[in-house]
């Protein structure tokens, strides 16, 4: 699906149409990507030896270096449109305000999407009374430091946000320990895995 994002206002309906067309049968939740897109998914670790959290300034810089380098490689050109997606969990009877409160999100114009009944879409993982409210914002890649506040908060396990690069139909989902990446183009995915081979997990299952 091609949309001219520079002229179309990104309403929740437009975004939901884009998501359903390109990532059908998958809720917009980070940890589900490796389950639903197994053949197109791979992971990098943010620190050597699969260390999960930074304990020194040098390690914090290494996390930002790896994640920014990969984002730059995926974005290709300065000014590439990016969607940010976050959200919050709640019980069904108390789902009025689920947006995560974190200052790194304040500068983006997030808009709520439809509430998800998680037991209906992921019955093996969630009880019947849990819902999830995703929200999205449209922005652009400008430079390697553009998202440092977000990436740092995610690395410190304060927040969950994933990035969509719609021009390439790519998902970039950092977490506290690494980044899950979904690239449907086989050639591009193979190129990325070769280029960043030193950052890939050593385990056979790619985790």
């Amino acid at each position: 699906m091609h949309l001219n994002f520079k002229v179309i206002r990104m309403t929740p309906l437009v975004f939901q149409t884009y998501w359903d067309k390109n990532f059908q049968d998958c809720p917009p939740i980070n940890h589900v990507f490796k389950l639903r897109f197994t053949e197109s998914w791979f992971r990098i670790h943010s620190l050597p030896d699969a260390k999960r959290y930074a304990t020194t300034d040098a390690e914090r810089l290494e996390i930002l270096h790896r994640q920014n380098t990969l984002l730059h490689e995926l974005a290709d050109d300065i000014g590439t449109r990016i969607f940010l997606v976050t959200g919050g969990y709640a019980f069904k009877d108390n789902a009025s305000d689920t947006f995560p409160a974190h200052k790194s999100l304040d500068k983006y114009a997030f808009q709520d999407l439809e509430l998800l009944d998680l037991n209906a879409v992921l019955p093996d993982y969630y009880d019947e009374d849990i819902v999830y409210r995703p929200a999205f914002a449209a922005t652009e890649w400008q430079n390697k430091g553009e998202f440092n506040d977000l990436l740092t908060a995610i690395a410190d396990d304060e927040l969950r946000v994933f990035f969509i690069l719609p021009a390439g139909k790519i998902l970039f989902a950092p977490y506290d320990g690494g980044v899950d990446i979904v690239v449907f183009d086989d050639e591009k995915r193979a190129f990325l895995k070769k280029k960043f081979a030193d950052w890939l997990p050593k385990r056979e299952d790619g985790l």
Side-chain angles (χ1 to χ4, degrees):
M1 179 182 185
H2 176 75
L3 294 174
N4 187 340
F5 296 114
K6 290 188 178 297
V7 297
I8 294 178
R9 180 174 177 268
M10 286 307 299
T11 65
L13 178 59
V14 172
F15 177 87
Q16 192 69 56
T17 300
Y18 165 80
W19 179 268
D20 292 343
K21 177 70 174 180
N22 289 280
F23 307 104
Q24 62 269 25
D25 300 323
C26 182
I29 303 175
N30 306 37
H31 70 85
V32 184
F33 300 158
K34 64 180 178 291
L35 304 174
R36 295 292 173 88
F37 306 124
T38 305
E39 299 301 318
S40 302
W41 165 90
F42 70 98
R43 171 174 287 180
I44 69 160
H45 285 155
S46 294
L47 289 171
D49 302 319
K51 185 176 181 180
R52 190 148 194 175
Y53 297 105
T55 53
T56 67
D57 288 342
E59 288 176 341
R60 293 183 184 91
L61 289 174
E62 179 65 15
I63 290 173
L64 292 176
H65 165 68
R66 291 191 182 194
Q67 296 188 5
N68 275 308
T69 298
L70 186 56
L71 256 180
H72 181 69
E73 181 71 37
L74 294 171
D76 289 329
D77 299 314
I78 299 300
T80 295
R81 179 56 60 97
I82 287 178
F83 299 143
L84 305 175
V85 182
T86 188
Y89 296 89
F91 292 104
K92 283 184 178 179
D93 59 358
N94 187 29
S96 58
D97 185 12
T98 58
F99 190 78
H102 199 282
K103 62 182 180 180
S104 65
L105 300 174
D106 291 348
K107 66 179 179 180
Y108 304 103
F110 277 93
Q111 301 179 68
D112 285 342
L113 296 167
E114 293 180 4
L115 195 69
L116 297 177
D117 182 338
L118 290 177
N119 182 256
V121 295
L122 296 166
D124 294 335
Y125 294 90
Y126 293 100
D127 295 332
E128 293 183 359
D129 58 345
I130 303 297
V131 294
Y132 184 79
R133 170 81 71 183
F136 85 99
T139 185
E140 290 188 348
W141 171 262
Q142 299 294 335
N143 58 64
K144 285 190 175 182
E146 178 74 15
F147 300 113
N148 279 359
D149 289 347
L150 280 178
L151 296 176
T152 298
I154 295 167
D156 290 340
D157 197 24
E158 297 175 358
L159 191 63
R160 283 287 182 271
V161 179
F162 71 87
F163 299 63
I164 307 172
L165 290 86
K169 195 180 166 184
I170 293 170
L171 301 176
F172 178 93
Y175 66 96
D176 53 325
V179 182
D180 287 333
I181 302 133
V182 175
V183 179
F184 293 100
D185 184 302
D186 294 341
E187 184 176 343
K188 186 174 184 66
R189 187 174 62 259
F191 168 80
L192 291 167
K193 292 176 73 172
K194 182 177 180 180
K195 182 168 184 175
F196 299 106
D198 290 343
W199 300 349
L200 297 177
K202 307 305 181 187
R203 291 172 37 154
E204 291 187 6
D205 60 5
L207 296 173

